[in-house]
Amino acid sequence: HFDRFDANLKDFLMCIGVDKTTEEIPEWLKTVELFDDKRQTEVVESATKEIDALRLKIDEANKKLEKNLVYKRALVDNGQALVNIVFDMLEKMLGCDLSDFEDENKEDFLIKLNDVTFIGEIKGITSNIKSENVSQVDVHYQSYLDKLREDNITEEVKPILIINSFRTKPITEREEVHHIQIDLAIRNGSLIITTYELLKLFEAFLNNQTTSSKIIEVFKTKTGETDTTVTAVAKTYTGFTHNREIEGTVASVPPQGG
Protein backbone atom coordinates (compact mmCIF):
# COMPACT_ATOMS: atom_id res chain seq x y z
CA HIS A 1 0.00 0.00 0.00
CA PHE A 2 2.88 2.33 0.79
CA ASP A 3 4.46 1.76 -2.65
CA ARG A 4 1.14 2.54 -4.34
CA PHE A 5 0.75 5.72 -2.22
CA ASP A 6 4.31 6.78 -3.09
CA ALA A 7 3.68 6.29 -6.81
CA ASN A 8 0.43 8.24 -6.66
CA LEU A 9 2.15 11.06 -4.75
CA LYS A 10 4.90 11.30 -7.37
CA ASP A 11 2.30 11.43 -10.15
CA PHE A 12 0.50 14.24 -8.32
CA LEU A 13 3.69 16.21 -7.72
CA MET A 14 4.65 15.87 -11.36
CA CYS A 15 1.24 17.14 -12.44
CA ILE A 16 1.51 20.30 -10.34
CA GLY A 17 5.13 20.87 -11.39
CA VAL A 18 6.74 20.22 -8.00
CA ASP A 19 8.54 17.02 -8.97
CA LYS A 20 11.28 17.94 -11.46
CA THR A 21 12.67 14.45 -11.84
CA THR A 22 11.28 14.13 -15.37
CA GLU A 23 14.08 13.72 -17.88
CA GLU A 24 14.67 16.88 -19.94
CA ILE A 25 13.80 16.81 -23.63
CA PRO A 26 16.93 16.91 -25.82
CA GLU A 27 17.22 19.76 -28.34
CA TRP A 28 17.52 17.43 -31.31
CA LEU A 29 14.03 16.11 -30.59
CA LYS A 30 12.61 19.49 -31.54
CA THR A 31 14.12 19.17 -35.01
CA VAL A 32 12.18 16.04 -35.78
CA GLU A 33 9.20 17.11 -37.89
CA LEU A 34 6.06 15.10 -37.32
CA PHE A 35 2.35 15.80 -37.35
CA ASP A 36 1.76 19.52 -38.18
CA ASP A 37 5.08 20.77 -36.76
CA LYS A 38 6.06 22.53 -39.98
CA ARG A 39 2.78 24.40 -40.36
CA GLN A 40 2.74 25.52 -36.72
CA THR A 41 6.37 26.69 -36.94
CA GLU A 42 5.45 28.80 -39.95
CA VAL A 43 2.52 30.27 -38.01
CA VAL A 44 4.84 31.20 -35.14
CA GLU A 45 7.42 32.79 -37.47
CA SER A 46 4.79 34.76 -39.40
CA ALA A 47 3.08 35.99 -36.23
CA THR A 48 6.44 36.97 -34.73
CA LYS A 49 7.20 39.14 -37.77
CA GLU A 50 3.77 40.76 -37.50
CA ILE A 51 4.31 41.44 -33.79
CA ASP A 52 7.72 43.00 -34.47
CA ALA A 53 6.21 45.21 -37.19
CA LEU A 54 3.37 46.25 -34.90
CA ARG A 55 5.81 47.05 -32.08
CA LEU A 56 7.78 49.25 -34.48
CA LYS A 57 4.57 50.94 -35.61
CA ILE A 58 3.57 51.55 -31.98
CA ASP A 59 7.01 52.99 -31.17
CA GLU A 60 6.81 55.36 -34.14
CA ALA A 61 3.28 56.44 -33.18
CA ASN A 62 4.34 57.06 -29.57
CA LYS A 63 7.26 59.22 -30.75
CA LYS A 64 4.88 61.22 -32.96
CA LEU A 65 2.45 61.65 -30.07
CA GLU A 66 5.29 62.92 -27.88
CA LYS A 67 6.27 65.40 -30.60
CA ASN A 68 2.66 66.53 -30.96
CA LEU A 69 2.50 67.02 -27.20
CA VAL A 70 5.50 69.36 -27.36
CA TYR A 71 3.61 71.60 -29.81
CA LYS A 72 0.41 71.35 -27.78
CA ARG A 73 2.27 72.80 -24.82
CA ALA A 74 1.65 76.12 -26.57
CA LEU A 75 -1.77 75.88 -24.90
CA VAL A 76 -0.31 75.88 -21.37
CA ASP A 77 3.17 77.44 -21.48
CA ASN A 78 4.29 81.03 -21.16
CA GLY A 79 7.62 82.87 -21.19
CA GLN A 80 10.58 81.53 -23.14
CA ALA A 81 9.11 78.01 -23.30
CA LEU A 82 6.14 79.38 -25.24
CA VAL A 83 8.38 81.55 -27.42
CA ASN A 84 10.47 78.50 -28.42
CA ILE A 85 7.40 76.52 -29.49
CA VAL A 86 5.91 79.42 -31.45
CA PHE A 87 9.26 80.12 -33.13
CA ASP A 88 9.42 76.50 -34.29
CA MET A 89 5.96 76.72 -35.88
CA LEU A 90 6.59 80.12 -37.45
CA GLU A 91 9.90 78.99 -38.95
CA LYS A 92 8.24 76.00 -40.60
CA MET A 93 5.12 77.83 -41.81
CA LEU A 94 6.77 81.04 -42.99
CA GLY A 95 10.04 79.54 -44.18
CA CYS A 96 12.08 81.88 -41.99
CA ASP A 97 15.03 81.48 -39.61
CA LEU A 98 14.66 82.92 -36.12
CA SER A 99 17.78 81.32 -34.65
CA ASP A 100 19.70 84.62 -34.80
CA PHE A 101 16.91 86.71 -33.27
CA GLU A 102 18.08 88.49 -30.12
CA ASP A 103 15.55 89.50 -27.50
CA GLU A 104 16.50 93.03 -26.45
CA ASN A 105 13.43 93.38 -24.21
CA LYS A 106 11.59 94.94 -27.12
CA GLU A 107 9.49 92.91 -29.54
CA ASP A 108 9.42 89.10 -29.17
CA PHE A 109 9.87 88.53 -32.89
CA LEU A 110 10.82 90.43 -36.02
CA ILE A 111 10.39 88.44 -39.22
CA LYS A 112 11.60 90.06 -42.42
CA LEU A 113 10.24 88.43 -45.56
CA ASN A 114 10.51 89.58 -49.17
CA ASP A 115 7.57 91.98 -49.15
CA VAL A 116 6.54 92.28 -45.50
CA THR A 117 7.96 92.46 -41.99
CA PHE A 118 6.04 90.89 -39.11
CA ILE A 119 6.69 92.35 -35.68
CA GLY A 120 5.03 91.31 -32.47
CA GLU A 121 4.60 89.83 -29.04
CA ILE A 122 4.25 86.27 -27.78
CA LYS A 123 2.53 85.99 -24.41
CA GLY A 124 0.97 83.41 -22.11
CA ILE A 125 -1.58 84.71 -19.60
CA THR A 126 -4.17 83.20 -17.26
CA SER A 127 -6.88 85.73 -18.12
CA ASN A 128 -8.51 86.87 -21.32
CA ILE A 129 -6.64 89.22 -23.65
CA LYS A 130 -6.43 92.73 -22.25
CA SER A 131 -6.17 96.05 -24.05
CA GLU A 132 -2.66 96.51 -22.68
CA ASN A 133 -1.57 93.33 -24.49
CA VAL A 134 -2.84 94.73 -27.79
CA SER A 135 -1.39 98.16 -27.06
CA GLN A 136 2.05 96.72 -26.26
CA VAL A 137 2.27 95.31 -29.77
CA ASP A 138 1.40 98.73 -31.15
CA VAL A 139 4.21 100.28 -29.08
CA HIS A 140 6.72 97.92 -30.71
CA TYR A 141 5.17 98.65 -34.10
CA GLN A 142 5.38 102.43 -33.71
CA SER A 143 8.97 102.25 -32.42
CA TYR A 144 9.96 100.18 -35.44
CA LEU A 145 8.28 102.66 -37.79
CA ASP A 146 10.23 105.49 -36.12
CA LYS A 147 13.47 103.61 -36.76
CA LEU A 148 12.53 103.02 -40.41
CA ARG A 149 11.85 106.69 -40.89
CA GLU A 150 15.14 107.68 -39.25
CA ASP A 151 17.03 105.29 -41.53
CA ASN A 152 14.94 106.22 -44.60
CA ILE A 153 14.00 102.57 -45.18
CA THR A 154 10.85 101.39 -46.95
CA GLU A 155 9.10 98.35 -45.49
CA GLU A 156 5.56 97.03 -45.28
CA VAL A 157 5.13 96.24 -41.58
CA LYS A 158 2.43 94.22 -39.82
CA PRO A 159 2.07 93.99 -36.02
CA ILE A 160 0.95 90.62 -34.63
CA LEU A 161 0.03 89.46 -31.13
CA ILE A 162 0.38 85.71 -30.58
CA ILE A 163 -1.18 84.97 -27.22
CA ASN A 164 -2.02 81.97 -25.04
CA SER A 165 -4.91 83.36 -23.02
CA PHE A 166 -6.60 81.38 -20.22
CA ARG A 167 -3.57 79.09 -20.34
CA THR A 168 -4.54 77.27 -17.12
CA LYS A 169 -8.01 76.36 -18.42
CA PRO A 170 -9.07 73.58 -20.81
CA ILE A 171 -9.78 74.76 -24.35
CA THR A 172 -13.52 74.11 -23.91
CA GLU A 173 -13.64 76.51 -20.95
CA ARG A 174 -11.81 79.43 -22.56
CA GLU A 175 -13.75 82.55 -23.43
CA GLU A 176 -13.59 84.23 -26.81
CA VAL A 177 -11.59 87.40 -27.27
CA HIS A 178 -13.74 90.36 -26.25
CA HIS A 179 -14.88 92.69 -29.02
CA ILE A 180 -13.20 95.63 -27.26
CA GLN A 181 -9.76 94.10 -27.78
CA ILE A 182 -10.66 93.03 -31.32
CA ASP A 183 -11.79 96.57 -32.15
CA LEU A 184 -8.59 97.96 -30.66
CA ALA A 185 -6.50 95.59 -32.78
CA ILE A 186 -8.46 96.62 -35.88
CA ARG A 187 -7.91 100.28 -35.06
CA ASN A 188 -4.19 99.64 -34.64
CA GLY A 189 -4.00 97.54 -37.80
CA SER A 190 -2.74 94.54 -35.82
CA LEU A 191 -3.67 90.88 -35.79
CA ILE A 192 -4.48 88.77 -32.72
CA ILE A 193 -3.67 85.06 -33.03
CA THR A 194 -4.39 82.74 -30.11
CA THR A 195 -2.03 79.82 -29.76
CA TYR A 196 -4.93 77.44 -30.39
CA GLU A 197 -5.61 79.17 -33.73
CA LEU A 198 -1.89 79.03 -34.48
CA LEU A 199 -1.83 75.29 -33.74
CA LYS A 200 -4.82 74.70 -36.03
CA LEU A 201 -3.09 76.69 -38.77
CA PHE A 202 0.10 74.67 -38.23
CA GLU A 203 -1.92 71.45 -38.39
CA ALA A 204 -3.40 72.51 -41.73
CA PHE A 205 0.09 73.36 -42.98
CA LEU A 206 1.51 69.95 -41.97
CA ASN A 207 -1.44 68.22 -43.65
CA ASN A 208 -0.83 70.17 -46.88
CA GLN A 209 -4.19 71.90 -46.53
CA THR A 210 -2.56 75.32 -46.76
CA THR A 211 0.74 76.80 -47.90
CA SER A 212 3.33 79.26 -46.64
CA SER A 213 2.19 81.88 -49.15
CA LYS A 214 -1.43 81.60 -48.01
CA ILE A 215 -0.44 81.88 -44.35
CA ILE A 216 1.70 84.92 -45.09
CA GLU A 217 -1.22 86.49 -46.92
CA VAL A 218 -3.49 85.92 -43.90
CA PHE A 219 -0.93 87.48 -41.57
CA LYS A 220 -0.49 90.44 -43.93
CA THR A 221 -4.06 91.28 -44.77
CA LYS A 222 -6.18 90.41 -41.76
CA THR A 223 -6.64 92.55 -38.67
CA GLY A 224 -8.50 91.85 -35.45
CA GLU A 225 -8.67 88.06 -35.33
CA THR A 226 -7.55 85.51 -37.91
CA ASP A 227 -11.14 84.36 -38.49
CA THR A 228 -12.43 87.92 -38.87
CA THR A 229 -12.27 89.55 -42.29
CA VAL A 230 -12.22 93.34 -41.97
CA THR A 231 -10.80 96.40 -43.63
CA ALA A 232 -8.54 98.38 -41.31
CA VAL A 233 -9.51 101.94 -40.48
CA ALA A 234 -7.33 104.33 -42.44
CA LYS A 235 -4.63 105.96 -40.32
CA THR A 236 -2.02 108.57 -41.11
CA TYR A 237 1.54 108.66 -39.78
CA THR A 238 3.78 111.60 -40.50
CA GLY A 239 6.24 110.64 -43.22
CA PHE A 240 4.33 107.49 -44.26
CA THR A 241 1.85 106.62 -46.98
CA HIS A 242 -0.80 103.91 -47.03
CA ASN A 243 -0.49 101.05 -49.51
CA ARG A 244 -4.20 100.84 -50.42
CA GLU A 245 -3.77 97.78 -52.61
CA ILE A 246 -3.53 95.57 -49.54
CA GLU A 247 -6.76 95.30 -47.57
CA GLY A 248 -6.49 95.44 -43.79
CA THR A 249 -3.16 97.29 -43.61
CA VAL A 250 -2.30 100.68 -42.25
CA ALA A 251 0.16 103.31 -43.36
CA SER A 252 3.68 102.05 -42.94
CA VAL A 253 5.62 103.01 -46.04
CA PRO A 254 7.70 106.20 -45.81
CA PRO A 255 8.11 108.19 -49.03
CA GLN A 256 11.51 108.03 -50.65
CA GLY A 257 13.83 110.75 -49.50
CA GLY A 258 11.57 111.63 -46.54
Side-chain angles (χ1 to χ4, degrees):
H1 293 292
F2 180 79
D3 291 340
R4 182 180 302 172
F5 173 78
D6 184 54
N8 289 338
L9 179 60
K10 285 186 176 182
D11 289 342
F12 174 74
L13 293 176
M14 287 178 62
C15 288
I16 64 175
V18 174
D19 191 338
K20 303 294 184 181
T21 58
T22 304
E23 184 178 351
E24 292 187 4
I25 297 175
E27 285 298 318
W28 62 263
L29 191 60
K30 297 178 182 180
T31 64
V32 178
E33 287 190 354
L34 290 172
F35 313 112
D36 61 348
D37 282 358
K38 184 176 182 181
R39 185 171 66 85
Q40 297 304 331
T41 299
E42 290 174 351
V43 169
V44 170
E45 291 175 350
S46 177
T48 300
K49 290 180 180 178
E50 291 179 7
I51 291 171
D52 290 342
L54 288 173
R55 283 175 178 166
L56 180 61
K57 192 173 183 179
I58 291 172
D59 288 342
E60 291 175 349
N62 281 328
K63 289 178 181 178
K64 188 65 173 66
L65 287 171
E66 290 176 4
K67 186 176 181 181
N68 291 346
L69 195 59
V70 170
Y71 286 116
K72 289 193 290 185
R73 286 196 63 88
L75 298 174
V76 295
D77 281 345
N78 65 344
Q80 191 58 46
L82 177 60
V83 170
N84 292 341
I85 298 170
V86 171
F87 271 24
D88 189 335
M89 290 190 283
L90 290 177
E91 285 181 329
K92 289 179 171 62
M93 289 191 292
L94 305 182
C96 60
D97 183 3
L98 295 170
S99 60
D100 294 332
F101 178 78
E102 295 183 7
D103 186 356
E104 299 177 349
N105 295 320
K106 296 179 181 178
E107 66 276 351
D108 283 331
F109 63 88
L110 185 67
I111 303 173
K112 290 177 175 286
L113 301 179
N114 291 333
D115 59 346
V116 66
T117 295
F118 297 128
I119 186 171
E121 283 271 307
I122 300 171
K123 300 190 78 67
I125 57 178
T126 56
S127 63
N128 204 340
I129 300 172
K130 299 178 180 179
S131 295
E132 64 185 73
N133 303 132
V134 181
S135 297
Q136 186 60 50
V137 176
D138 193 55
V139 170
H140 297 321
Y141 173 55
Q142 298 299 334
S143 296
Y144 189 72
L145 292 182
D146 288 342
K147 187 176 184 303
L148 288 179
R149 183 165 54 185
E150 290 172 3
D151 297 338
N152 194 28
I153 297 175
T154 300
E155 283 184 16
E156 190 73 32
V157 187
K158 179 63 175 290
I160 297 176
L161 171 62
I162 298 175
I163 191 160
N164 180 24
S165 53
F166 294 112
R167 69 183 187 85
T168 57
K169 289 186 177 183
I171 287 295
T172 54
E173 296 178 14
R174 299 185 184 189
E175 299 173 18
E176 295 182 356
V177 181
H178 198 275
H179 73 87
I180 292 176
Q181 282 68 47
I182 295 175
D183 290 344
L184 179 59
I186 293 171
R187 190 191 74 182
N188 293 344
S190 60
L191 176 64
I192 299 171
I193 307 175
T194 66
T195 52
Y196 182 67
E197 290 172 336
L198 189 68
L199 284 167
K200 295 296 291 182
L201 194 60
F202 187 49
E203 178 186 44
F205 176 76
L206 294 178
N207 291 334
N208 296 318
Q209 295 171 343
T210 189
T211 62
S212 293
S213 60
K214 290 181 180 179
I215 294 172
I216 291 170
E217 189 65 16
V218 168
F219 286 5
K220 280 176 57 178
T221 61
K222 288 198 173 183
T223 57
E225 288 187 297
T226 52
D227 59 349
T228 303
T229 302
V230 297
T231 302
V233 177
K235 298 177 67 176
T236 302
Y237 298 96
T238 303
F240 291 82
T241 57
H242 181 197
N243 185 344
R244 299 181 180 277
E245 295 181 357
I246 300 179
E247 181 183 3
T249 58
V250 294
S252 60
V253 183
Q256 294 296 327

